[in-house]
Amino acid sequence: MPDEPHPPLTARHRVKSYELDSFGHVNNAVYLNLFEGARNEYMLQRGLSFADFSVWKAHPIVAEAWVRYRRAAFVDDKLVILGAVENASNVSFTIRYRIEREGDGQWLAEGTTRMAFVDPEGKPTRIPQAFKEKFIESRGV
Amino acid sequence: MPDEPHPPLTARHRVKSYELDSFGHVNNAVYLNLFEGARNEYMLQRGLSFADFSVWKAHPIVAEAWVRYRRAAFVDDKLVILGAVENASNVSFTIRYRIEREGDGQWLAEGTTRMAFVDPEGKPTRIPQAFKEKFIESRGV
Amino acid sequence: MPDEPHPPLTARHRVKSYELDSFGHVNNAVYLNLFEGARNEYMLQRGLSFADFSVWKAHPIVAEAWVRYRRAAFVDDKLVILGAVENASNVSFTIRYRIEREGDGQWLAEGTTRMAFVDPEGKPTRIPQAFKEKFIESRGV
Amino acid sequence: MPDEPHPPLTARHRVKSYELDSFGHVNNAVYLNLFEGARNEYMLQRGLSFADFSVWKAHPIVAEAWVRYRRAAFVDDKLVILGAVENASNVSFTIRYRIEREGDGQWLAEGTTRMAFVDPEGKPTRIPQAFKEKFIESRGV
């Protein structure tokens, strides 16, 4: 992603006090929420919604996740979550993320989620064509 | 609050998929997070921060909370959280909230939190003067 | 509930570090999770499961919640969540809860949730008969 | 871990309905909570507590996390979280986890967290000797 100056997936988040743990920094699990929130935002930007999953009878799941925490995030921090799709096939794709703090521009975390699609019974299924075109093949605005 | 057309506390929140429960609507506990996030936002607007709590050696706690859920909130809904302080004394105050959905303007929930201040050992203490002036006595913009 | 020495709904919970906020005590919203977890546990004890909701095409929602926080809960605390049903009608019922800390027996919080049933479209519906018999009318073991 | 038949870190967790997402399975971020809860439990088993972190003026943070999701977990599932420490140095160590479902014995997820210690200002510091002896060097009961 460092060599991709305009990652298509971009979302913003202001850290809330309920996302902190007793050491005063954002809890490690919350970063997976931030990645998920960025996916929500990107779906909206690409004209997709959760209602599509019912129509397609297929929805995405996280098959694998990885996060490297570089610097702590604190209450009221304005975060930018950047992301880009990589390694897409017919059955899975990976999103690479980077979280930065606005203001000092510090790079706080990076990570990946490998995503796959399943049918309502949880069985693996091909990525729906409309999702592929709008979410995966898009190269941003 | 209906008779108070410009409640001073105003915050916005886009519903994320990780805030839903298995019935597809925002889980009941998340509404207390929304109230807390609105307090975070209002503190910033009033020039207050969590660092002040360390300086004052006193921080607010929720002593009592009440929520009435009127209509479900769904993923991607844009929520507006409105609030106003009422019944302030030297040791506690209440915030009344209303959550509306932008777009259809539906009134989704209302609630209150009664707040008190405690010292670092958890003992009740008077509300710090600076908090009183900026957070409680302010009548909004 | 104080006058009801053996509340039928009983659940246990060990406080986890991710349930704390930056002041080192359990966040206020988590108490609604504790109430929900106690309802989960009680359903199991009464021979009910979430699969029943699909069969009945009706599931419970929280219509109103109230919590009074009396003393803070800390990491590793062993909590007991006690509850009893009150004010049941054909369309709603209330559960009254009390949270105690094992060991010192301190009473940490009390609260209520008023519950109603809705159909898959979210429309209010009568409480299913099997739920009424097993969850509401049961007087405990 | 497969070649280590008795991993020292063992914890149990019953899935709650508030841990599910709208697809009816446990949300991906919750697995990092499960890992954290297992660390809480193991600390207690080894005679350690969060109060030690204040005494030592040093506490652990998650420096890196990885999760592979193999099968979905559902409400009321009884999970077993197993773990073992590996690759410990003076400044960091890794815990490898596996999550199984009791009953059918299915292997639901595996993962790792690389942990480091920081002082109250967030600066990296050596692992406290008492933590090393009790948490890291212990080979289980």
Side-chain angles (χ1 to χ4, degrees):
Chain A
M1 201 154 55
D3 52 339
E4 203 175 329
H6 303 293
L9 191 153
T10 306
R12 279 173 166 72
H13 181 79
R14 170 85 81 171
V15 174
K16 302 301 187 305
S17 52
Y18 58 81
E19 295 169 326
L20 306 180
D21 61 25
S22 60
F23 302 118
H25 50 236
V26 172
N27 185 264
N28 70 93
V30 171
Y31 289 73
L32 292 186
N33 290 156
L34 296 176
F35 293 170
E36 183 169 334
R39 294 193 299 272
N40 291 171
E41 188 66 26
Y42 190 57
M43 282 184 57
L44 284 176
Q45 290 166 11
R46 304 304 306 153
L48 294 164
S49 80
F50 270 63
D52 293 320
F53 299 148
S54 303
V55 175
W56 300 336
K57 298 192 194 311
H59 65 264
I61 55 157
V62 178
E64 194 168 350
W66 168 75
V67 190
R68 187 146 59 112
Y69 306 88
R70 296 165 57 100
R71 282 180 186 79
F74 303 98
V75 69
D76 296 336
D77 277 357
K78 292 175 82 170
L79 306 181
V80 187
I81 303 100
L82 303 167
V85 175
E86 51 182 43
N87 299 328
S89 75
N90 283 330
V91 295
S92 78
F93 62 100
T94 294
I95 305 175
R96 179 168 293 275
Y97 310 83
R98 189 174 61 211
I99 300 182
E100 298 176 357
R101 179 164 43 216
E102 271 190 18
D104 66 4
Q106 291 276 15
W107 180 2
L108 305 185
E110 63 187 317
T112 55
T113 56
R114 186 165 55 83
M115 316 290 299
F117 269 77
V118 295
D119 67 18
E121 280 71 47
K123 292 213 186 94
T125 187
R126 289 168 71 93
I127 300 173
Q129 189 57 27
F131 186 88
K132 221 168 165 175
E133 284 166 15
K134 292 186 182 172
F135 193 102
I136 294 179
E137 288 164 7
S138 159
R139 294 287 97 205
V141 227
Chain B
M1 201 155 53
D3 52 339
E4 202 174 329
H6 303 295
L9 191 152
T10 306
R12 279 173 167 73
H13 181 79
R14 170 84 80 170
V15 174
K16 302 302 186 305
S17 52
Y18 58 81
E19 296 170 325
L20 306 181
D21 60 25
S22 59
F23 302 117
H25 50 238
V26 173
N27 184 265
N28 69 93
V30 171
Y31 289 72
L32 293 186
N33 290 155
L34 296 176
F35 293 170
E36 183 171 332
R39 294 194 299 273
N40 291 170
E41 188 66 27
Y42 189 57
M43 281 184 57
L44 284 176
Q45 290 165 11
R46 304 304 306 153
L48 294 164
S49 80
F50 271 63
D52 293 321
F53 299 149
S54 302
V55 175
W56 300 335
K57 297 191 193 314
H59 64 263
I61 55 157
V62 178
E64 194 168 350
W66 168 76
V67 190
R68 186 145 61 111
Y69 306 87
R70 296 166 56 101
R71 281 180 187 79
F74 303 98
V75 68
D76 296 335
D77 277 359
K78 292 175 82 170
L79 307 180
V80 187
I81 304 100
L82 302 167
V85 175
E86 52 182 42
N87 299 328
S89 75
N90 283 330
V91 295
S92 79
F93 62 99
T94 294
I95 305 175
R96 179 167 292 275
Y97 309 84
R98 187 173 64 211
I99 300 181
E100 298 176 358
R101 180 164 43 216
E102 270 190 18
D104 67 3
Q106 291 276 15
W107 180 1
L108 305 185
E110 64 187 317
T112 55
T113 55
R114 186 165 56 81
M115 315 291 297
F117 269 77
V118 294
D119 67 18
E121 280 71 47
K123 292 211 187 95
T125 187
R126 291 168 69 94
I127 300 174
Q129 188 59 24
F131 186 90
K132 220 167 165 176
E133 284 167 16
K134 291 186 182 171
F135 193 104
I136 294 179
E137 288 163 8
S138 158
R139 293 288 97 205
V141 226
Chain C
M1 201 156 54
D3 52 338
E4 203 174 326
H6 304 293
L9 191 152
T10 307
R12 278 172 168 74
H13 180 79
R14 170 85 81 171
V15 174
K16 302 302 187 304
S17 52
Y18 57 81
E19 296 170 326
L20 306 181
D21 60 26
S22 60
F23 302 118
H25 50 237
V26 173
N27 185 264
N28 69 94
V30 171
Y31 289 72
L32 292 185
N33 290 156
L34 296 176
F35 293 170
E36 183 169 334
R39 295 193 299 273
N40 291 170
E41 187 66 27
Y42 189 57
M43 281 184 57
L44 284 175
Q45 289 165 11
R46 304 304 306 152
L48 293 163
S49 79
F50 271 63
D52 293 321
F53 299 148
S54 302
V55 175
W56 299 335
K57 297 190 193 312
H59 65 263
I61 54 157
V62 178
E64 194 168 349
W66 168 76
V67 190
R68 187 146 59 110
Y69 306 88
R70 296 166 58 100
R71 281 181 187 80
F74 303 98
V75 67
D76 297 335
D77 277 358
K78 292 175 80 169
L79 307 180
V80 187
I81 304 100
L82 302 167
V85 175
E86 51 182 43
N87 299 328
S89 75
N90 283 329
V91 296
S92 79
F93 62 100
T94 294
I95 305 175
R96 178 168 293 276
Y97 310 84
R98 188 174 63 211
I99 300 181
E100 298 176 358
R101 180 164 43 216
E102 270 190 19
D104 67 4
Q106 291 276 15
W107 180 2
L108 305 185
E110 64 188 316
T112 55
T113 56
R114 185 165 56 82
M115 315 291 298
F117 269 78
V118 294
D119 67 18
E121 279 72 48
K123 292 212 187 96
T125 187
R126 291 169 69 94
I127 299 173
Q129 189 59 26
F131 185 90
K132 221 168 166 175
E133 284 167 16
K134 292 187 181 169
F135 192 104
I136 294 179
E137 288 164 7
S138 159
R139 294 287 99 205
V141 226
Chain D
M1 200 155 53
D3 51 338
E4 203 175 328
H6 303 295
L9 191 153
T10 307
R12 278 174 167 71
H13 180 80
R14 170 85 81 171
V15 174
K16 302 301 187 306
S17 53
Y18 57 80
E19 296 171 325
L20 306 181
D21 60 26
S22 60
F23 302 117
H25 50 237
V26 173
N27 184 265
N28 69 93
V30 171
Y31 289 72
L32 292 185
N33 291 156
L34 295 176
F35 293 169
E36 183 170 334
R39 294 193 300 272
N40 291 171
E41 188 65 27
Y42 189 57
M43 281 183 58
L44 284 175
Q45 290 165 12
R46 304 305 306 153
L48 294 163
S49 81
F50 271 62
D52 293 321
F53 299 148
S54 302
V55 175
W56 300 335
K57 297 191 193 314
H59 65 264
I61 55 157
V62 178
E64 193 167 351
W66 168 75
V67 190
R68 188 146 59 112
Y69 306 88
R70 297 165 57 101
R71 282 181 186 77
F74 303 99
V75 69
D76 297 336
D77 278 357
K78 292 174 82 170
L79 306 181
V80 187
I81 304 100
L82 302 167
V85 175
E86 52 183 41
N87 299 327
S89 75
N90 282 331
V91 294
S92 78
F93 63 100
T94 294
I95 305 174
R96 179 167 294 275
Y97 310 84
R98 188 174 63 212
I99 300 182
E100 298 176 358
R101 179 164 44 216
E102 270 190 18
D104 67 4
Q106 291 276 16
W107 180 2
L108 305 185
E110 63 186 318
T112 55
T113 56
R114 186 164 55 84
M115 316 291 298
F117 269 78
V118 295
D119 67 19
E121 280 71 47
K123 291 211 187 96
T125 187
R126 291 169 70 93
I127 300 174
Q129 189 57 26
F131 186 89
K132 220 168 166 176
E133 284 166 16
K134 292 186 181 170
F135 193 102
I136 294 180
E137 288 164 8
S138 159
R139 295 286 99 204
V141 224

